[in-house]
Amino acid sequence: MSLVNDLKNRANACELCGGNDQLSAYIVSPKTDELAENAVLVCNECNEQIQGNQPMNSARWRCLNDSIWSEHSAVKVLSYRLLQKIKDEGWPIDLLDMMYLTDEEMTWAKSGAEDGKVVHIDSNGAELATGDTVVLIKDLNVKGSSLVAKRGVAVRNIRLDPDNAEYIEGKVEGQNIVILTKYVKKS
């Protein structure tokens, strides 16, 4: 019996949103074994956003209100990771506060997030890489300086903070500054 069939026996719809469009198995990293306890049955649209092929649509993920209570660890772990990605929206923090994960599930959730690497995402949901050029979408006061980085300024050859997905570094008017990823868009 295939993994997808095993998951369909467990749930006959997407275990995150309840959709039925092109259901497939998503193995929650760092697990690699194709076992039902390591996987979640997801619809095409959820899978596209999880894989990063589409920008994260935080309104879509309000469905996680139900999936955080799943009896299956893989569903809870994936729900936790998705809520972490969009927690800047505000409402996901409430769900994260309500959510219960065992110590083992929490270790799984934190250890495999994005396969152990920190992923930097701009304000439009595009993944950033070292050396990219970004444009500021807001005037930013630079702490410890009288410099105001103006909206529309291009910051070339950015560097990524390896420990924090919200921080990038770049030069604005010859000064190295740290910028929050939510204030930039990739160009």
Side-chain angles (χ1 to χ4, degrees):
M1 198 173 213
S2 76
L3 177 58
V4 172
N5 287 337
D6 289 345
L7 293 172
K8 283 183 178 179
N9 287 335
R10 181 171 87 188
N12 57 2
C14 177
E15 293 181 276
L16 299 176
C17 75
N20 287 312
D21 180 40
Q22 298 176 358
L23 297 174
S24 61
Y26 178 82
I27 297 175
V28 182
S29 65
K31 308 278 184 172
T32 56
D33 297 333
E34 292 192 12
L35 303 171
E37 64 259 18
N38 298 338
V40 178
L41 188 65
V42 295
C43 68
N44 186 53
E45 191 168 344
C46 286
N47 194 33
E48 289 292 310
Q49 288 189 34
I50 293 166
Q51 299 287 349
N53 299 333
Q54 289 181 4
M56 291 291 281
N57 176 356
S58 62
R60 172 176 187 68
W61 296 114
R62 289 194 179 266
C63 60
L64 296 176
N65 186 47
D66 295 327
S67 64
I68 64 171
W69 303 111
S70 174
E71 63 187 87
H72 305 289
S73 294
V75 176
K76 292 194 300 186
V77 166
L78 186 55
S79 298
Y80 175 86
R81 289 180 187 172
L82 292 168
L83 288 168
Q84 284 291 333
K85 279 187 175 182
I86 59 171
K87 69 181 177 184
D88 289 341
E89 297 292 322
W91 64 265
I93 294 171
D94 294 334
L95 292 182
L96 286 165
D97 288 343
M98 288 189 296
M99 193 171 187
Y100 174 76
L101 295 173
T102 64
D103 291 340
E104 183 179 304
E105 290 168 338
M106 184 59 80
T107 300
W108 182 8
K110 289 183 175 179
S111 71
E114 297 301 329
D115 295 326
K117 69 175 186 169
V118 175
V119 178
H120 295 74
I121 305 293
D122 75 356
S123 62
N124 293 330
E127 186 172 341
L128 299 172
T130 299
D132 281 347
T133 298
V134 296
V135 176
L136 300 179
I137 61 169
K138 177 181 176 178
D139 288 352
L140 302 173
N141 294 321
V142 179
K143 289 184 180 180
S145 169
S146 61
L147 175 67
V148 175
K150 296 290 186 185
R151 182 177 70 158
V153 168
V155 181
R156 291 173 177 74
N157 200 23
I158 64 168
R159 292 173 310 286
L160 308 179
D161 184 320
D163 300 320
N164 192 328
E166 295 179 355
Y167 296 154
I168 61 171
E169 296 178 29
K171 280 191 177 186
V172 174
E173 295 183 15
Q175 184 174 347
N176 275 329
I177 63 170
V178 174
I179 308 166
L180 293 175
T181 55
K182 65 184 177 181
Y183 297 131
V184 301
K185 66 179 180 180
K186 189 174 182 176
S187 62

